Amino acid sequence: MWVNLIGFNLLWAGLVLLGDVFIVVAVLALIAHFNFCQNRQDEAKVILAVAVIGCTVDSLLTYFNVFIFPHALIPLWLVALWLCFAATIRHSLSFLASVSWYWQAMVGACFAPLSYFAGERLGAVAFSLPYITTFVLLSAIWALLMVLFFNLNAKISSGDNANVTVY
Protein backbone atom coordinates (compact mmCIF):
# COMPACT_ATOMS: atom_id res chain seq x y z
CA MET A 1 0.00 0.00 0.00
CA TRP A 2 2.73 2.48 0.97
CA VAL A 3 4.78 1.72 -2.13
CA ASN A 4 1.68 2.37 -4.25
CA LEU A 5 0.91 5.64 -2.45
CA ILE A 6 4.47 6.98 -2.54
CA GLY A 7 4.93 5.75 -6.10
CA PHE A 8 1.81 7.53 -7.29
CA ASN A 9 2.85 10.79 -5.66
CA LEU A 10 6.30 10.60 -7.26
CA LEU A 11 4.71 9.84 -10.63
CA TRP A 12 2.25 12.72 -10.19
CA ALA A 13 5.13 15.10 -9.50
CA GLY A 14 7.19 13.83 -12.41
CA LEU A 15 4.32 13.98 -14.90
CA VAL A 16 3.12 17.41 -13.77
CA LEU A 17 6.60 18.94 -13.65
CA LEU A 18 8.22 17.22 -16.63
CA GLY A 19 5.22 16.39 -18.79
CA ASP A 20 5.57 14.00 -21.71
CA VAL A 21 9.26 13.41 -20.96
CA PHE A 22 8.24 11.48 -17.82
CA ILE A 23 5.73 9.16 -19.55
CA VAL A 24 8.39 6.45 -20.01
CA VAL A 25 8.91 6.34 -16.23
CA ALA A 26 5.14 6.14 -15.68
CA VAL A 27 4.81 3.26 -18.15
CA LEU A 28 7.67 1.38 -16.50
CA ALA A 29 6.04 1.94 -13.09
CA LEU A 30 2.72 0.61 -14.40
CA ILE A 31 4.47 -2.49 -15.78
CA ALA A 32 6.11 -3.04 -12.39
CA HIS A 33 2.73 -2.48 -10.73
CA PHE A 34 1.17 -5.26 -12.81
CA ASN A 35 4.00 -7.62 -11.88
CA PHE A 36 2.97 -7.33 -8.23
CA CYS A 37 -0.79 -7.66 -8.78
CA GLN A 38 -2.48 -10.92 -7.89
CA ASN A 39 -5.49 -10.51 -10.15
CA ARG A 40 -4.09 -8.79 -13.24
CA GLN A 41 -7.27 -9.17 -15.27
CA ASP A 42 -9.48 -7.29 -12.77
CA GLU A 43 -6.69 -4.78 -12.15
CA ALA A 44 -6.48 -4.04 -15.88
CA LYS A 45 -10.26 -3.64 -16.13
CA VAL A 46 -10.36 -1.17 -13.23
CA ILE A 47 -7.38 0.80 -14.51
CA LEU A 48 -8.78 0.99 -18.03
CA ALA A 49 -12.30 1.94 -16.90
CA VAL A 50 -11.13 4.61 -14.46
CA ALA A 51 -8.61 6.07 -16.92
CA VAL A 52 -11.13 6.22 -19.78
CA ILE A 53 -13.71 7.93 -17.57
CA GLY A 54 -11.14 10.32 -16.11
CA CYS A 55 -9.68 11.26 -19.50
CA THR A 56 -13.19 11.78 -20.86
CA VAL A 57 -14.11 14.08 -17.97
CA ASP A 58 -10.86 16.07 -18.27
CA SER A 59 -11.34 16.25 -22.05
CA LEU A 60 -14.82 17.67 -21.55
CA LEU A 61 -13.50 20.18 -19.03
CA THR A 62 -10.86 21.16 -21.59
CA TYR A 63 -13.41 21.35 -24.41
CA PHE A 64 -15.57 23.68 -22.32
CA ASN A 65 -12.47 25.77 -21.48
CA VAL A 66 -12.51 25.05 -17.75
CA PHE A 67 -8.98 23.70 -18.20
CA ILE A 68 -6.58 25.37 -20.59
CA PHE A 69 -3.69 23.41 -22.05
CA PRO A 70 -1.33 24.50 -24.83
CA HIS A 71 -3.13 22.20 -27.29
CA ALA A 72 -6.83 21.56 -27.88
CA LEU A 73 -6.69 18.07 -26.36
CA ILE A 74 -5.56 16.94 -22.95
CA PRO A 75 -1.81 16.27 -22.97
CA LEU A 76 -0.44 12.72 -23.10
CA TRP A 77 1.15 13.14 -19.69
CA LEU A 78 -2.36 13.63 -18.26
CA VAL A 79 -3.50 10.36 -19.83
CA ALA A 80 -0.52 8.67 -18.19
CA LEU A 81 -1.43 10.36 -14.90
CA TRP A 82 -4.95 8.97 -15.11
CA LEU A 83 -3.57 5.46 -15.66
CA CYS A 84 -1.31 5.90 -12.63
CA PHE A 85 -4.15 7.26 -10.48
CA ALA A 86 -6.36 4.35 -11.54
CA ALA A 87 -3.69 1.97 -10.21
CA THR A 88 -4.33 3.35 -6.70
CA ILE A 89 -8.03 2.37 -6.53
CA ARG A 90 -7.41 -1.25 -5.52
CA HIS A 91 -4.30 -0.51 -3.46
CA SER A 92 -3.45 2.70 -1.61
CA LEU A 93 -7.04 3.96 -1.87
CA SER A 94 -8.59 0.55 -1.17
CA PHE A 95 -9.62 1.67 2.33
CA LEU A 96 -12.34 3.74 0.63
CA ALA A 97 -13.96 0.56 -0.68
CA SER A 98 -15.06 -0.29 2.86
CA VAL A 99 -16.63 3.07 3.72
CA SER A 100 -19.98 4.48 2.69
CA TRP A 101 -20.52 6.32 -0.57
CA TYR A 102 -20.78 9.50 1.48
CA TRP A 103 -17.16 9.27 2.64
CA GLN A 104 -15.98 8.31 -0.83
CA ALA A 105 -17.72 11.42 -2.17
CA MET A 106 -16.27 13.61 0.60
CA VAL A 107 -12.72 12.40 -0.06
CA GLY A 108 -13.17 13.06 -3.78
CA ALA A 109 -14.76 16.46 -3.24
CA CYS A 110 -12.16 17.67 -0.75
CA PHE A 111 -8.85 16.25 -1.91
CA ALA A 112 -8.97 15.68 -5.68
CA PRO A 113 -9.47 19.37 -6.59
CA LEU A 114 -6.35 20.18 -4.59
CA SER A 115 -4.35 18.09 -7.04
CA TYR A 116 -5.57 20.23 -9.94
CA PHE A 117 -4.80 23.42 -8.01
CA ALA A 118 -1.29 22.18 -7.27
CA GLY A 119 -0.88 21.40 -10.97
CA GLU A 120 -2.09 24.89 -11.82
CA ARG A 121 0.40 26.47 -9.41
CA LEU A 122 3.18 24.42 -11.06
CA GLY A 123 2.16 25.64 -14.51
CA ALA A 124 0.79 22.34 -15.85
CA VAL A 125 -2.73 23.69 -16.45
CA ALA A 126 -4.55 27.00 -16.41
CA PHE A 127 -8.13 27.68 -15.33
CA SER A 128 -10.50 29.97 -17.18
CA LEU A 129 -12.93 30.34 -14.29
CA PRO A 130 -12.34 31.97 -10.91
CA TYR A 131 -10.66 29.68 -8.38
CA ILE A 132 -13.73 29.27 -6.19
CA THR A 133 -15.92 28.35 -9.17
CA THR A 134 -13.32 25.88 -10.41
CA PHE A 135 -13.01 24.35 -6.95
CA VAL A 136 -16.78 23.93 -6.55
CA LEU A 137 -17.09 22.42 -10.03
CA LEU A 138 -14.21 20.00 -9.51
CA SER A 139 -15.52 19.09 -6.05
CA ALA A 140 -18.92 18.16 -7.45
CA ILE A 141 -17.40 16.17 -10.31
CA TRP A 142 -14.94 14.34 -8.08
CA ALA A 143 -17.57 13.52 -5.47
CA LEU A 144 -19.44 11.64 -8.19
CA LEU A 145 -16.30 10.16 -9.75
CA MET A 146 -15.01 8.63 -6.53
CA VAL A 147 -18.31 6.91 -5.84
CA LEU A 148 -18.42 5.70 -9.44
CA PHE A 149 -14.83 4.44 -9.35
CA PHE A 150 -15.37 2.38 -6.21
CA ASN A 151 -18.68 1.08 -7.50
CA LEU A 152 -16.95 -0.01 -10.71
CA ASN A 153 -14.18 -1.64 -8.71
CA ALA A 154 -16.71 -3.55 -6.59
CA LYS A 155 -18.61 -4.74 -9.67
CA ILE A 156 -15.44 -5.80 -11.47
CA SER A 157 -14.07 -7.53 -8.37
CA SER A 158 -17.31 -9.43 -7.85
CA GLY A 159 -17.42 -10.46 -11.49
CA ASP A 160 -20.69 -8.57 -12.06
CA ASN A 161 -19.63 -6.34 -14.94
CA ALA A 162 -23.06 -6.11 -16.53
CA ASN A 163 -24.88 -3.63 -14.27
CA VAL A 164 -22.83 -0.91 -12.64
CA THR A 165 -24.91 1.48 -10.58
CA VAL A 166 -24.02 4.48 -8.48
CA TYR A 167 -25.73 4.48 -5.08
Side-chain angles (χ1 to χ4, degrees):
M1 180 181 100
W2 289 106
V3 170
N4 183 263
L5 177 65
I6 293 166
F8 171 71
N9 283 290
L10 291 173
L11 291 167
W12 182 94
L15 288 164
V16 167
L17 292 171
L18 301 174
D20 290 349
V21 174
F22 205 74
I23 291 174
V24 172
V25 175
V27 168
L28 292 173
L30 286 166
I31 291 169
H33 173 81
F34 273 103
N35 283 329
F36 291 103
C37 290
Q38 293 178 356
N39 188 336
R40 291 184 183 113
Q41 186 174 10
D42 284 354
E43 185 73 17
K45 287 177 186 177
V46 169
I47 289 174
L48 204 57
V50 168
V52 166
I53 292 166
C55 288
T56 300
V57 168
D58 279 357
S59 293
L60 288 169
L61 290 168
T62 302
Y63 177 79
F64 289 109
N65 292 319
V66 175
F67 296 157
I68 301 168
F69 293 106
H71 305 288
L73 302 173
I74 64 170
L76 289 177
W77 64 261
L78 187 53
V79 174
L81 184 57
W82 269 107
L83 290 165
C84 294
F85 169 76
T88 67
I89 297 293
R90 295 167 55 95
H91 303 282
S92 57
L93 293 180
S94 64
F95 71 95
L96 290 173
S98 62
V99 300
S100 74
W101 66 268
Y102 174 81
W103 288 110
Q104 293 169 355
M106 286 295 98
V107 167
C110 294
F111 295 107
L114 297 177
S115 177
Y116 288 90
F117 279 81
E120 189 268 344
R121 296 303 266 171
L122 293 170
V125 63
F127 303 141
S128 66
L129 302 172
Y131 284 129
I132 190 68
T133 306
T134 302
F135 187 85
V136 170
L137 178 62
L138 290 175
S139 290
I141 290 169
W142 270 92
L144 296 171
L145 285 179
M146 286 298 269
V147 174
L148 175 62
F149 293 158
F150 283 97
N151 191 310
L152 280 169
N153 178 47
K155 295 292 183 179
I156 289 170
S157 296
S158 71
D160 181 15
N161 300 334
N163 299 312
V164 176
T165 57
V166 177
Y167 299 97

